[in-house]
Amino acid sequence: MAERDNKVMVGALLLLAGGIIGAGVALMYAPQSGEKTRKELGRYAKKARRKGEDALEAVEDFTEQVGEMAEAVGERASEILDRGKDMAYGAKKGLLKALEDGEARLMKERSRLAKLIG
């Protein structure tokens, strides 16, 4: 899953970089003065940087939330596993007790039949 998230992140960054480069090339060939073009490029770069920082912050928040969720799931799985072990141990003890009781009863009946048969 982490590999898929990395691929999505790389794709998003490549798309953003392509947009920035495309906008820069378009502004270079636009029919306006160089000073005005440079100002627009500067404004666009600042805007793109802000958006990139916002996206990075969102990714960091998402990563933190996923980490917290994974930790909570791990703790819950550990609790369930421990409870399952306890239940299995209890069932094993109950089964052994039933087998011992059955064996004792079988021995008692065998002894009784042996006395009857002679």
Side-chain angles (χ1 to χ4, degrees):
M1 188 163 151
E3 185 177 324
R4 181 173 180 240
D5 291 341
N6 286 341
K7 286 182 180 180
V8 169
M9 177 71 112
V10 169
L13 290 175
L14 288 174
L15 183 64
L16 181 64
I20 291 171
I21 291 171
V25 169
L27 288 174
M28 294 279 186
Y29 287 103
Q32 59 188 355
S33 72
E35 183 178 340
K36 188 174 181 180
T37 300
R38 284 189 295 278
K39 285 181 183 179
E40 285 185 25
L41 280 173
R43 276 186 284 202
Y44 184 78
K46 287 178 185 177
K47 187 177 178 181
R49 181 178 179 189
R50 263 186 265 124
K51 286 185 178 182
E53 289 171 351
D54 291 345
L56 181 60
E57 185 176 326
V59 168
E60 288 172 349
D61 290 345
F62 178 73
T63 302
E64 183 178 333
Q65 289 175 354
V66 168
E68 290 171 359
M69 287 174 52
E71 186 176 324
V73 167
E75 289 173 3
R76 184 72 175 137
S78 179
E79 291 172 10
I80 291 170
L81 181 62
D82 289 343
R83 197 174 330 158
K85 285 179 181 179
D86 291 343
M87 289 174 63
Y89 181 73
K92 179 182 172 185
K93 284 178 67 175
L95 183 58
L96 288 174
K97 175 74 170 128
L99 286 172
E100 289 171 0
D101 291 348
E103 186 178 13
R105 193 172 208 181
L106 182 61
M107 295 297 280
K108 186 177 179 182
E109 289 297 318
R110 187 179 284 162
S111 175
R112 188 179 70 81
L113 283 173
K115 285 180 185 176
L116 285 176
I117 294 175

